[in-house]
Amino acid sequence: MSSAHNARVRVGVFGLLGSGNLGNDGSLEAVLGYLRAEHPEAAVDALCGGPEVVTARYGIPAARLHWYRGEYRTASRAGAMAAKGLGKLVDAFRTAAWVRRHDVVIVPGMGVLEATLPLRPWGFPYALFLLCASGRLTGTRVALVGVGAAPIGNRATRALVRWSAQFATYRSYRDDPSRDAMRAMGVDTARDEVYPDLAFALPTPRADTPSDPPGPVCVGVMAFHGGDDDRARADEIHRRYLEGTTRFVRTLVEEERPVRLLTGDACDAPVVAAILDAVDSPLVTAAEADSLSDLMKETAAADTVVATRYHNLICALKSGTPTLALSYAAKSDALMAQMGLAAYCHPAREIDTDRLLAQFRELERRSAEVRRSLTERDRAAAQRLEHQFTALTTALFPTPGRTRTHAHTHVHAQQETP
């Protein structure tokens, strides 16, 4: 690997990017913004889930994460299982070859160390393990930047996630529960820092003055079936979630409130269709958002947001709009507490429409005060991310003539936000 400081530094970005999840792509966008602002000399490419989308949208070369294209379909036929098994072997060589071509590889944000949604160990956890192990073997610096982690029940998944974290050169987390979860798994987190989610570094749209009479409510929905340990009850959990959300939307329509349905992943579309079908009112419309920026424009135009997906919540909070979380994981509760809205969390698994409406009305009553508070907290989050990017430069891009800092060193110096 070239160490000549006058050569272009080669940076890879890695993850389920360009695969239809707006939060993942928003995290990538934030890291690309940082690289372009602070390391314009870097040659950047991606190993990701949707290479065509990533190249078209962000203008960087990209290769496919998995050799076997049916990776995330459950294999049942013997032929499919054999192809999947062969794919695992091919991926080990492909990943190592890709990593070796880089000086630095960044995994931008995302819940890469958690299994809060259904996950098979030999899918993404194995891919991440290959990446981090390849980095350790080839001397390429691998950084898990602002990632999410959570306790994991499945033993194989937990082992792969722990090894991935231990092999990484640099780690930072998007909340305290993430760092706590990795410490509980046996990872030494003494030098690991916690920063706000990377999406807080994205540009914020200007919020409109709330309309009068009561304006639109954004309701962010999700194809929610519980977590990795809920597989047996997945259908029942989804049915209850859909019923509770539909009842809430119907009540808002009865009060003549316009409702805008938001999603955060391509897989959420059937939930939107089901609610539109069940409520059947011109007051209910679906947003077509292709990025976190699009989502922020939607949430900025709303009086209030009620959302399930983590990055729907971030978009709403970042645009300064009073927000109520239909929470399905500790990360959502941590985010809401960080933004001063811990009282406005409601369990996605057990939606009680009457209590949800009571929380919603209380939040709307406090709207002006909440908006003022969110403006301050958003500013503080953006400043913390300046520290994150400074720390990343220190750890990953050692300057010529300076001895290499310890990989986990974090420098708390201000710099211009990208």
Side-chain angles (χ1 to χ4, degrees):
M1 192 173 74
S2 165
S3 60
H5 63 255
N6 57 357
R8 287 191 81 185
V9 63
R10 297 158 303 176
V11 180
V13 288
F14 177 94
L16 291 175
L17 308 162
S19 305
N21 183 289
L22 301 186
N24 292 2
D25 291 356
S27 301
L28 169 63
E29 201 176 316
V31 164
L32 291 178
Y34 149 72
L35 289 171
R36 282 165 185 159
E38 299 301 323
H39 303 281
E41 77 291 352
V44 183
D45 73 304
L47 187 64
C48 59
E52 301 84 3
V53 173
V54 166
T55 297
R57 190 171 290 168
Y58 304 109
I60 59 173
R64 184 171 296 283
L65 185 59
H66 298 289
W67 172 78
Y68 176 58
R69 285 174 177 256
E71 174 57 43
Y72 291 106
R73 293 194 294 271
T74 302
S76 50
R77 294 191 334 277
M81 288 172 79
K84 210 166 188 176
L86 176 62
K88 297 293 158 214
L89 191 60
V90 174
D91 285 346
F93 291 99
R94 285 177 74 248
T95 303
W98 182 80
V99 170
R100 188 181 287 115
R101 292 199 300 271
H102 297 85
D103 301 296
V104 170
V105 173
I106 295 174
V107 180
M110 308 180 283
V112 296
L113 304 177
E114 63 183 40
T116 50
L117 298 175
L119 185 71
R120 299 287 187 199
W122 304 113
F124 189 77
Y126 175 71
L128 185 67
F129 165 72
L130 289 179
L131 176 86
C132 296
S134 298
R136 177 59 65 94
L137 290 169
T138 62
T140 298
R141 297 184 286 278
V142 175
L144 308 179
V145 182
V147 297
I152 295 170
N154 181 291
R155 189 178 295 172
T157 304
R158 189 168 63 242
L160 288 166
V161 160
R162 181 176 70 247
W163 292 331
S164 297
Q166 288 170 333
F167 286 151
T169 312
Y170 173 95
R171 297 180 296 269
S172 64
Y173 307 99
R174 63 188 179 192
D175 52 37
D176 288 313
S178 294
R179 182 168 59 183
D180 295 345
M182 294 318 294
R183 186 181 295 137
M185 278 186 223
V187 175
D188 178 6
T189 61
R191 293 169 184 260
D192 299 357
E193 289 278 0
V194 172
Y195 297 100
D197 189 88
L198 287 169
F200 280 103
L202 296 172
T204 310
R206 208 170 53 79
D208 295 332
T209 312
S211 47
D212 195 47
V217 178
C218 281
V219 177
V221 300
M222 178 178 178
F224 178 63
H225 295 82
D228 202 43
D229 300 329
D230 296 318
R231 289 174 184 272
R233 302 189 303 122
D235 290 345
E236 181 206 342
I237 287 170
H238 182 66
R239 182 182 54 77
R240 287 173 65 173
Y241 169 78
L242 185 57
E243 282 175 2
T245 309
T246 303
R247 203 174 304 130
F248 177 70
V249 170
R250 190 176 286 123
T251 305
L252 293 177
V253 167
E254 284 165 3
E255 295 173 4
E256 299 190 355
R257 295 293 293 273
V259 174
R260 198 87 168 118
L261 298 176
L262 307 180
T263 60
D265 194 294
C267 69
D268 300 331
V271 181
V272 170
I275 293 172
L276 288 172
D277 191 48
V279 179
D280 192 22
S281 162
L283 284 172
V284 186
T285 54
E288 295 287 333
D290 289 326
S291 66
L292 291 193
S293 177
D294 290 348
L295 279 176
M296 278 188 252
K297 289 188 189 108
E298 294 283 350
T299 57
D303 275 10
T304 310
V305 177
V306 179
T308 311
R309 277 201 182 272
Y310 183 74
H311 279 94
N312 274 195
L313 295 174
I314 285 182
C315 288
L317 295 164
K318 189 168 160 43
S319 60
T321 304
T323 305
L324 201 160
L326 288 173
S327 173
Y328 68 88
K331 62 184 177 185
S332 302
D333 297 338
L335 173 66
M336 294 293 281
Q338 185 186 316
M339 301 304 281
L341 294 173
Y344 301 101
C345 290
H346 192 97
R349 274 179 181 74
E350 312 274 344
I351 296 178
D352 173 339
T353 311
D354 291 339
R355 193 167 79 78
L356 181 60
L357 282 161
Q359 285 176 295
F360 172 77
R361 294 194 172 112
E362 167 70 10
L363 180 62
E364 289 221 310
R365 196 176 56 73
R366 291 185 53 211
S367 179
E369 169 199 344
V370 168
R371 283 176 181 271
R372 281 193 300 274
S373 167
L374 286 177
T375 302
E376 286 304 308
R377 288 169 193 264
D378 286 335
R379 194 174 296 131
Q383 283 175 344
R384 281 287 291 148
L385 281 170
E386 292 176 16
H387 296 322
Q388 163 70 98
F389 292 133
T390 304
L392 204 53
T393 291
T394 304
L396 299 185
F397 301 94
T399 54
R402 187 179 76 197
T403 54
R404 178 94 143 269
T405 57
H406 186 285
H408 289 316
T409 301
H410 294 263
V411 177
H412 290 279
Q414 287 283 64
Q415 74 178 42
E416 282 297 305
T417 188

